[in-house]
Amino acid sequence: MAKSIDVKDLDIYYGDFLAVQGVNVHIKARSVTAFIGPSGCGKSTVLRSLNRMHEVIPGARVEGKVVVDGQSLYGAGVDPVAVRRQIGMVFQRPNPFPTMSIYENVLAGNRLNARKLKKPEADTIVEKSLRGANLWNEVKDRLAKPGMGLSGGQQQRLCIARAIAVEPEVLLMDEPCSALDPISTAAVEDLIHELKSDYTIVIVTHNMQQAARVSDDTGFFNLKAVGEPGHLVEFNPTTKVFSNPDESATEAYISGRFG
Amino acid sequence: MSTMVDPGPEAPEAPPVEAKPPTRLGDLLFSKVSLVSGLIVILFLAGVGTFLLIQGLPALDASGEATYGEPDIWKFVGMLLYGTIYASLIAIVIVTPLAVGLALVISHYAPKALAKPVGYLVDLLAAVPSVVFGLWGLEVLAPKLLPAYKWLNEHFSWIPLFDGSVNSRSLLTASIVLALMALPIVTALLREIFAQTPRAHEEAALALGATRWEMIRLAVFPYARSGMVAAILLGLGRALGETMAVAMVLSATGTGYLTLSIISAENPNTIAAFIANNYANASGDKINTMIFAGLALFLLTFVVNFAGRWIATRGQNKG
Ligand SMILES: Nc1ncnc2c1ncn2[C@@H]1O[C@H](COP(=O)(O)OP(=O)(O)O)[C@@H](O)[C@H]1O
Ligand SMILES: [Mg+2]
């Protein structure tokens, strides 16, 4: 079920503002790909264009191609709603639905498109997803309680459970640990390691140690210059990026000389 | 960095430290003006309440002529309260789906270029004078509705709502006009509430593959629930006290009929319309009766508005 992603000559706009230019990248199936770079260089923008979440912002659009296992995401007749069902997303701030219980939060995606779930089927999905998100043991006795009652790290894992409950092919994560404490961060990082065997994962992080810890490949984004669009400076296996990068700009960023 | 150690060249320009923080004239003036206006409002409200009580309470033992043919004041005011609440509730039933739909179009569906003018248009509706609504209801709307009423009466007269002898100036006509008059305020409130839905919840729904309508059900409505109730209650408050339009449109004499039918000639009457239609010819005891009815309306509107505000603030605290 995990799929690879090919991005070709992708330009991403907010209205007339060209935010990111000329991205070419191949993201392998069943691997973790990290996007790093200084803030404002377009990491989130690129990530959101991979499941067509970019265009929910008024005026936002892309040019170029995103191909998931041979199928073009931006082709004519492709329904963005269907794309987002296949490519799940976890956001920077945990965003469980505030009025829903833990149980209902997990099932929110499964209940969409007027799908009816039988109780045993629903129970199975909830348990499987919460186990998958390493949250089952902590919440199994209070599934009917509101999701907002959990700690930040638990909420974020609940959001991950919600995203994997619909069995997507790809999981996109935008700085999923930036609002979490170190212990919750470790829990989410462990989870990413485990999810890798089933999912293609793309993660944006501002934390370079995290990129080094969890990812197989790393893309370094940067602005071409002040006032210019962001672009992908380098894309290589993570070990190479952190030990012997091709570009001096990458080297400078990683060794903390800027950004 | 430390300002204590290094006074620097600009030190002499620093203002001398005073024990008392400076009070600015503008702030002082503003706080006094707000205090005085607040007091005026409270005094005014208390004044109206006292007036209604002093002038209305003597009506407690009115009967016969003074209660317009009703046996006692309670029956009199009860009949009118029934009509007032009934007409307003029907208006709310009509206005709620309209306002929710319009507010969603403005806040979530229409592109900005369209949403703005639609919003202004709805706001403009609030500027139409009550008398104009009444005239329009009487001259334009009522005749147009008559065929529909006849049809309803023909096929559904077994439902009490559509029983009786059909008349275009019925309670339903009045309620439709009331609904249109409440539409701008309810829509404006709902639109603000819907627009405040946290982006994070909306994106959570969209990222799961929700269609726009599913996103609204998943993220917007749960968030807006208490605000929606409050908006509708405030709209109800508006409909309850509306006078001119009902007085002009509704065909009702005296305290009206105690009926469920909304398309017939025999209608209940509302407090505001009753007072408007009868006050000019009233004298003596009848004035007290009418002021008592006014007191009842005042209390009812107060309670409804208060409930609306209470629910609105309670919802805000919850998040
Ligand atoms: N909703 C938006 N509307 C307009 N411009 C935006 C929006 N979101 C981001 N941008 C711009 O796009 C550029 C890239 O932003 P972003 O992708 O959020 O960067 P990063 O995630 O790397 O910090 C920035 O210049 C930012 O100002
Ligand atoms: Mg970002």
Side-chain angles (χ1 to χ4, degrees):
Chain A
M1 105 184 121
K3 294 196 170 174
S4 63
I5 307 173
D6 277 293
V7 179
K8 286 176 199 144
D9 298 324
L10 193 66
D11 296 340
I12 314 177
Y13 294 85
Y14 291 99
D16 293 330
F17 172 63
L18 177 58
V20 183
Q21 193 173 31
V23 175
N24 285 286
V25 69
H26 173 77
I27 292 163
K28 292 201 292 279
R30 287 177 216 280
S31 72
V32 179
T33 301
F35 290 168
I36 59 170
S39 53
C41 65
K43 306 178 296 293
S44 303
T45 303
V46 172
L47 193 76
R48 291 165 59 93
S49 69
L50 299 184
N51 69 341
R52 296 192 65 167
M53 276 300 285
H54 177 64
E55 67 204 52
V56 307
I57 293 161
R61 66 200 164 83
V62 307
E63 283 169 14
K65 268 192 155 178
V66 178
V67 180
V68 176
D69 255 17
Q71 204 211 353
S72 173
L73 286 196
Y74 288 92
V78 175
D79 180 5
V81 168
V83 169
R84 293 179 205 134
R85 306 212 81 209
Q86 290 171 24
I87 304 180
M89 187 158 214
V90 176
F91 296 82
Q92 190 166 351
R93 302 209 141 269
N95 55 359
F97 295 115
T99 54
M100 286 187 197
S101 65
I102 295 171
Y103 188 91
E104 286 303 322
N105 256 295
V106 176
L107 289 175
N110 299 72
R111 292 210 194 279
L112 290 175
N113 303 10
R115 259 191 67 197
K116 289 268 174 295
L117 287 173
K118 294 223 168 58
K119 175 85 171 122
E121 190 189 353
D123 288 345
T124 315
I125 294 173
V126 169
E127 177 166 351
K128 187 171 163 225
S129 310
L130 286 172
R131 279 192 193 283
N134 274 341
L135 190 60
W136 174 251
N137 287 327
E138 290 158 66
V139 301
K140 64 170 184 274
D141 299 321
R142 46 170 168 157
L143 292 175
K145 295 266 162 60
M148 292 300 276
L150 300 173
S151 75
Q154 290 173 324
Q155 285 186 25
Q156 192 63 300
R157 279 179 284 149
L158 177 60
C159 292
I160 294 173
R162 180 177 69 187
I164 60 180
V166 293
E167 310 203 329
E169 285 145 3
V170 178
L171 205 52
L172 308 176
M173 301 180 162
D174 192 352
E175 303 195 18
C177 303
S178 67
L180 307 185
D181 61 81
I183 293 177
S184 307
T185 299
V188 172
E189 282 183 13
D190 288 345
L191 175 58
I192 291 171
H193 261 298
E194 290 167 25
L195 291 173
K196 190 168 88 168
S197 51
D198 290 322
Y199 298 94
T200 304
I201 295 174
V202 186
I203 178 174
V204 169
T205 174
H206 61 233
N207 176 333
M208 280 179 283
Q209 288 78 25
Q210 180 169 63
R213 279 193 301 265
V214 302
S215 72
D216 303 294
D217 294 310
T218 296
F220 170 57
F221 285 83
N222 200 0
L223 295 176
K224 286 181 172 166
V226 176
E228 301 256 316
H231 70 141
L232 182 60
V233 177
E234 171 165 357
F235 188 83
N236 268 317
T238 300
T239 44
K240 178 165 169 56
V241 169
F242 282 93
S243 58
N244 179 26
D246 287 338
E247 303 290 330
S248 57
T250 315
E251 164 97 65
Y253 181 72
I254 285 170
S255 56
R257 265 182 276 141
F258 81 97
Chain B
M1 284 286 170
S2 166
T3 48
M4 301 301 280
V5 190
D6 176 21
E10 66 265 79
E13 285 167 42
V17 182
E18 278 177 33
K20 215 176 68 182
T23 40
R24 294 183 215 308
L25 184 64
D27 284 353
L28 197 72
L29 214 63
F30 182 75
S31 78
K32 287 279 181 278
V33 168
S34 340
L35 184 69
V36 169
S37 349
L39 282 177
I40 288 178
V41 170
I42 293 174
L43 277 178
F44 190 71
L45 205 62
V48 171
T50 328
F51 160 76
L52 288 174
L53 276 176
I54 291 176
Q55 299 280 308
L57 287 185
L60 274 179
D61 40 35
S63 64
E65 183 74 347
T67 50
Y68 290 85
E70 301 295 346
D72 59 44
I73 188 74
W74 298 114
K75 179 80 194 301
F76 167 82
V77 82
M79 291 283 286
L80 288 177
L81 270 178
Y82 168 75
T84 307
I85 295 173
Y86 195 27
S88 303
L89 283 182
I90 297 170
I92 284 303
V93 168
I94 298 170
V95 80
T96 301
L98 272 179
V100 169
L102 258 175
L104 279 178
V105 164
I106 295 169
S107 67
H108 281 84
Y109 275 94
K112 270 229 170 61
L114 192 67
K116 273 241 166 88
V118 173
Y120 286 138
L121 226 60
V122 177
D123 288 345
L124 262 185
L125 214 54
V128 177
S130 192
V131 186
V132 175
F133 265 111
L135 274 176
W136 175 82
L138 196 60
E139 298 296 328
V140 182
L141 184 67
K144 289 234 160 67
L145 288 172
L146 192 58
Y149 290 175
K150 285 193 171 131
W151 183 87
L152 282 170
N153 184 253
E154 216 165 281
H155 296 88
F156 295 100
S157 62
W158 49 274
I159 304 176
L161 292 179
F162 307 125
D163 204 4
S165 60
V166 174
N167 187 300
S168 64
R169 291 173 59 190
S170 68
L171 194 73
L172 184 54
T173 311
S175 294
I176 292 175
V177 176
L178 275 182
L180 284 176
M181 297 181 72
L183 188 64
I185 171 112
V186 182
T187 308
L189 289 169
L190 287 178
R191 159 179 101 196
E192 290 308 313
I193 293 160
F194 291 157
Q196 279 169 18
T197 313
R199 189 94 196 127
H201 300 334
E202 296 181 358
E203 295 208 330
L206 289 174
L208 284 171
T211 61
R212 209 182 302 217
W213 172 240
E214 286 169 333
M215 180 269 278
I216 285 165
R217 268 186 18 221
L218 217 53
V220 179
F221 283 162
Y223 179 80
R225 205 155 31 192
S226 61
M228 287 166 77
V229 175
I232 289 164
L233 280 180
L234 292 176
L236 182 66
R238 170 108 165 78
L240 285 173
E242 187 43 54
T243 310
M244 266 334 276
V246 183
M248 290 167 78
V249 170
L250 190 66
S251 138
T253 43
T255 51
Y257 293 81
L258 195 63
T259 165
L260 280 177
S261 174
I262 56 175
I263 60 167
S264 76
E266 290 160 1
N267 295 299
N269 205 351
T270 75
I271 294 178
F274 179 88
I275 295 176
N277 282 335
N278 293 285
Y279 197 76
N281 303 322
S283 59
D285 295 348
K286 287 184 171 176
I287 302 260
N288 296 118
T289 315
M290 232 166 281
I291 291 178
F292 189 81
L295 178 64
L297 181 60
F298 178 71
L299 288 178
L300 179 65
T301 316
F302 190 79
V303 166
V304 168
N305 278 318
F306 190 78
R309 301 258 171 232
W310 184 70
I311 291 174
T313 43
R314 203 188 49 156
Q316 264 165 18
N317 294 343
K318 213 175 53 196

